[in-house]
Amino acid sequence: MKVDEAPNPLAEGLHDYRIADPAVMVIFGATGDLSGRKLLPALYNLAKQRSLPAGFAVVGAAMNELSDDDFRKHASDKIHEFSRTQPIDGRVLDAFLSSVSYVKVDFGQLDDFKTLAKKLQQLDDANHVPGNRIFYCATPPPTYQTIALQLQASGLNKGEGYHRIVVEKPFGSDLQSARELTQTLQKVFAEDSVYRIDHYLGKETVQNILAFRFANSIFEPVWNTNLIDSVQITVAEEIGIEQRGAYYDRAGALRDIIQNHGLQLVTLTAMEPPLAFEAGAVRDEKVKVLRSIRPLIGEDIEQSTVRGQYAAGWVLGEQVVGYRDEQNVAPDSQTETFAALRLFVDNWRWAGVPFYIRAGKRMPKRVTEIRIQFKRPPHLTFGREAMKEVDPNAITLRIQPEEGISLKFGAKVPSAGLRIRSVTMDFEYVTSFLVEAPEAYERLLLDCMIGDPTLFTRADEVEAAWTLVDPIENAWRNGRPPLGTYPAGSWGPDTAAQLLQGDGREWHRP
Amino acid sequence: MASAVTALQRDVNPMWHGEDVTIADVLTALDDIRLKFARAEAGDDAEHLHPRSCVMTLIGIAPDDQQEKVASLATQAIGMEHPAQAIVLREEAPLAGGRLEAWITTDVRRPEVACAVQCELITLHVKGPAEEHLGPLLDPLLVSGVPTYLWWLGTPPFGRRELLDALRICDGLVVDSAEFEKPYQSFQQMSGMLKLVHHRLGLADLQWSRLRPWREMIAQFFSPVDRRPFLEGISEVGIDYSGEGRGNRIVASLLTGWMASALGWRLRRATAGTGGVVVAHYERGDRTVEVEFRSVPKDGLVAGELSSVRVAGVSRGTTFRLGVHHNPERARGRDIDFPERRGHDTARVLLTIIEIGDGEPLRHVQQLESEDEVTLLLDLLSTGTHDEVFNRSVAAAAALMQQF
C-alpha cells in the first residue's frame, strides 16, 4: 500500500471524529426552505463540531439577485432560527459564514453555470482544494435533470478531485421516471458519485435497527420464519398535508411514504447480515430483500392492499377538516392518505411470514415502529386458563417518538396460584444515553463529504422499490380496491383491520 | 447511629445521612430510597414498579474538602446526562467514630418522552487513605452489569500495591495529570503502572482529552490523499507551552509522543536548555525530525498548557507548514458549570494556518469546547477509557521526558 493510500495514522483513536477532505459544496436552491431549515443549520453544527476542514467552502446558488453579504445574512438568520444547538456561537458562526459565498444561477442559463465554474476555481486556488465538489440539489425534483445537464455542459462534472451530486427524494414518481432520472444522472456522474438522500436513513434510530440485529447474538437466531409469526410496520402521522396539498394530491401515501420509508424499514428488518457496515455490502443486502418481495399483481392487489382517505374528525382534541377540504386538493380527489399492504418476502428466512405495512395521515398520533410478533409456544405448559392473559412474545422497535426497544414476554403474577401475564421490558434511548442525537442531515452531509454512501439509496434500490409499487399504483388508479374513508383521528378504514382479521391477526395499537 | 430516610416526595430529592454507620446501613437506606421512588413513579400500577435505569457507577476519590465539592458537583452534573450511581469517597476525613459517615442524595430527571430517571450520589467519609478502603467498601455498592469508573482527583498513589488491588473493582481509572502534586514523577509512575494493571482496566487522563482538538486539527491537515505524503516529509515540530520546569512539559510531551508513536519515529536524543527550551531528535528511516519545545509567557494559559504547535517539512519538492494556535482568551478555572447540553458556547478557538508551496496562507478557525471536568469526563465516559493510542502516547512521552 502506498503512503497516500494508507489510512491517516494520526486519525486513529479520534472516536467519532470523521475527517472530510476540503471541498466546495454548491447548494442549488440555497434560498429555499430545505436549505434554510436543514442544510445551513446542519453545516453550522458540523463546523461547531470541528468537522468542516480548513478550506471547506459553501456556495449558495439560486435565482435571486443577492450579494455574498446578503446570502450570509440569510444564512445567519436561518441558522439562528433552526439550528439544533442553541444559543448560536458567534465566533463559530462568523468563521463558518466567512467560507460562504453566493452566485446567482438560473438553472436554464448555461452562462450562469460558467460563472459558477469560475467562482469554484477561485475558491480552489485560495483554499488549496484540489477540485473536490459537492452539488446539492435542494430544489424541486423536476429540476434535477436540468441541473445535472447544465453541470455537464459547463464542465463542472469533470476535472481534478471528486464530483458528487446530491438529490432528495422522491426519486421519480414511478419506475419510468425514476429510470429516466437515473439515466440522466449517470450520464453526467458515475453512480458512486450520485447521493440519493432520504433523510430517514440518517436517523440514529433507523441505523440502530442494524445495530440491534447484528451487534447482538441473541436476536438473529430467532429472527426467521421458525419463530416469527408476522411483522407489522406502522408509519403514522397525526398531521394532515399542511401546505403540501398540490404535491400530496399527486403523490398519495403509497408514493410519499410506503415506496421509500416503508420499504426501507422492511429491508432493514428483513435483510441478511452484510459482510460489513459499508456501502456495497449493506445496499446489496437491502436490494436482495426488495427483489425477494413477492410482487402484487392482479387480484393480489385487491386482497392484499388497502387504501383510504381521511374525512373530517378529531385529532389530539382538535377538530380537523377532511382531506378533500384541504387547500390545493381536488374536491373529488381519489388520492389515498392511508395505505396498507401485506407483503411476503420469498426467501428461506422469511417464507410464509407476512409483513404488514401501514402509513397514514391524520392518525391518532405520530408514531413509527416495527413490531416483530413471535409465534405462540408450541405447548401450553401452564394450561389455557393460566395463559389467557398472555400475548405472544413481541419485540417492538420504536423509531419515533420515544425511540427505544420493548420486549414483551409472559411472567407469573405474584399470587398463590399460577397465572401468567404479559409484561414488557423497555429500553429507552433517552434514559440510557441522555445525549442529544445529531440531526440526520448532519450525519448525511458528512457522509457525503467523506464519500460514504452507505446511508444513501442506490439506483437499483430505487428501481426495485418502484417495481413493487407501480402495479399497485396502477390498480389503485383504476379503483381496485375501492378507496375507503376513515375519520381523522382513527387508525384507518375498516378494511385495514379486515386485512389482518382475515389472517387471524390484528394490528398492534402503538 | 442515625439512619432515617427522609420522606420521599416526587421531584424532591430524598436524603439520608448516617454518622458512624456501616456499608450495610447505606445499602439498606439505598434500597429504601429506590423502592419508594419506583413505587411513586409506578402510580397505581402496583404490580409493575418503575424500572431503574443506570448506565454506570462513577466513583470520585477526593483528598480534601475542596476536591470533594468538585467531585460531588461534577458527578451530579454527569448524572443528569448519564443515569448513574455516583459515589464520592473523601479520604483522610476527620471522623469521630470508628466507622463511616455517609450521605445519599438523589436527582430526578424527567425526559420529555421517557420515564423518569433517578441518579444517586452517595458520599462516604472514611479514615485513612482511600486505596485501603476501595475494594471492601465500594464493592457492595457497585451496580451489577454496568461499568465502574474511578475518577481520582489529585494524585493517585501510583506506586502502591494497594492501588492496584483496589483497581480490581474498576473498568476505568480517570486522572488529571494537570493536577498531580509532583507532575514529573507521577506521570512517570502512571506510565509504569500501565504495564501492571489488569487487562480490563482502561486509564484515561483529562490532559489527553484537552489535547483532542489539537490532535483533530493536525490529523485533519494530513487527511486529504494529496497531503498524505506530507507525513513522510515532516522535518520540524515546534510546540509552545506555558510555565517552566519539566513538570509543565507533560502536555507537550504527550503531543510529541502521540505523533512519534503514530508515525513510527524513534527517539535518538533530547536535551533541555535554559528558558524551558527542549530539543529532541527523532529518526524515521533516513530522515530526522527535530522537535522543539519553547516556554512562552502568555496571559490566560495555565501552566503546562499549549499555546501553539507548528509542523513543517517538504514532500516531493513542496514545502508545507501547519500552525495551530490557541486563542488565549480565558483561564481554566475550577468552576463547575452545568451545561444544558454538550458543546455549549464558549469563546475559545483554535486558529489553524496552512501554508502549502507558494500559495497564500489559509486561515481556519475552529471552536474549542469547554474544558471543565464535567465536559471532559462526559467525553471520556461516552467513548470508554480503553484507548491504545493514549497508552502508546504516554509510553512515548515518558521515554522523552526521561531524557531531560
Side-chain angles (χ1 to χ4, degrees), chain A residues 6 17 50 89 421 431 434, chain B residues 48 81 83 216 220 228 346:
Chain A
Y17 187 69
R50 300 189 295 272
D89 189 307
R421 215 176 79 179
T431 54
L434 294 184
Chain B
H48 295 88
E81 299 238 2
E216 287 177 359
Q220 200 176 75
R228 202 68 57 74
T346 71

Side-chain angles (χ1 to χ4, degrees), chain A residues 3-17 19-22 44 46-56 84-92 95 126-130 401-403 413-414 419 421-424 426 428 430-436, chain B residues 45 47-48 53 55 79-83 109 111 113-115 117 212-213 215-220 222-229 231-232 258-259 262-263 316 327 329 341-347 349 354 356 359-360 362 364-369 383 386-387 389 392:
Chain A
V3 64
D4 50 1
E5 291 172 348
N8 179 356
L10 296 178
E12 186 189 355
L14 289 170
H15 311 282
D16 294 337
Y17 187 69
I19 302 175
D21 285 3
Y44 160 79
L46 287 173
K48 191 169 177 173
Q49 296 153 30
R50 300 189 295 272
S51 293
L52 298 186
F56 183 86
R84 164 178 73 86
T85 59
Q86 297 284 353
I88 298 302
D89 189 307
R91 294 187 72 162
V92 175
N127 293 345
H128 305 296
V129 176
E402 298 180 28
E403 296 89 342
V413 178
R419 193 158 53 90
R421 215 176 79 179
S422 287
V423 294
T424 54
D426 285 332
E428 290 171 319
V430 181
T431 54
S432 294
F433 299 111
L434 294 184
V435 289
E436 201 174 350
Chain B
D45 189 354
E47 286 185 11
H48 295 88
S53 196
V55 298
M80 297 305 283
E81 299 238 2
H82 297 269
R109 178 170 165 163
V113 291
C115 301
V117 177
R212 184 182 164 114
R215 292 167 55 213
E216 287 177 359
M217 293 306 98
I218 295 169
Q220 200 176 75
F222 293 100
S223 180
V225 169
D226 60 317
R227 291 187 205 156
R228 202 68 57 74
L231 286 170
E232 292 293 315
W258 165 63
M259 292 187 73
L263 300 176
R316 299 175 185 174
N327 183 323
E329 290 179 9
R341 54 164 57 100
R342 289 180 50 198
H344 65 121
D345 277 17
T346 71
V349 294
I354 292 172
I356 299 175
E360 287 291 308
L362 175 63
H364 188 56
V365 176
Q366 301 272 47
Q367 188 195 32
L368 285 175
E369 287 116 0
T383 55
H386 289 80
D387 184 349
V389 176
R392 290 199 297 265

